[in-house]
């Protein structure tokens, strides 16, 4: 996981570039690693933290209507908090 300004792109070649390290970008990286191990890839995220919307927008005292069993990752199932 690299912020774009921290990776030297000159001369680098990746088979896949994943833009954004939100829930979809993280899932894409997992699937690329497990299902396409011969492909090289990089995940670019402009923020210091990964997690996308889930990390960026935090509202104290407000709960999400999305359950983590649905929105979680199959490779890392949600447990209790």
């Amino acid at each position: 996981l690299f912020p774009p300004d921290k990776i030297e792109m000159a001369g680098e070649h990746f088979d896949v570039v994943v833009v954004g390290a939100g829930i979809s970008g993280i899932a894409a990286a997992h699937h690329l690693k497990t299902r396409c191990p011969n492909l090289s890839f990089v995940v670019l995220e402009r923020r210091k933290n990964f997690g996308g919307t889930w990390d960026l927008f935090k509202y104290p005292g407000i709960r999400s209507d999305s359950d983590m069993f649905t929105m979680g990752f199959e490779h890392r199932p949600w447990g209790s908090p």
Side-chain angles (χ1 to χ4, degrees):
L1 178 67
F2 298 103
D5 61 334
K6 300 294 183 201
I7 188 169
E8 178 59 47
M9 296 303 285
E12 286 289 327
H13 172 81
F14 299 101
D15 296 311
V16 179
V17 175
V18 178
V19 179
I23 195 165
S24 296
I26 294 168
H30 170 74
H31 288 295
L32 285 165
K33 189 172 184 178
T34 58
R35 296 180 183 185
C36 305
N38 296 327
L39 293 179
S40 63
F41 69 93
V42 64
V43 179
L44 301 178
E45 173 60 55
R46 73 175 173 87
R47 299 178 59 238
K48 289 181 184 178
N49 296 334
F50 59 91
T53 301
W54 294 95
D55 175 67
L56 183 61
F57 298 109
K58 296 178 182 173
Y59 304 101
I62 298 177
R63 295 174 42 116
S64 171
D65 62 351
S66 302
D67 65 279
M68 290 308 294
F69 294 103
T70 301
M71 298 302 292
F73 296 114
E74 186 177 294
H75 63 275
R76 191 166 184 182
W78 178 258
S80 59

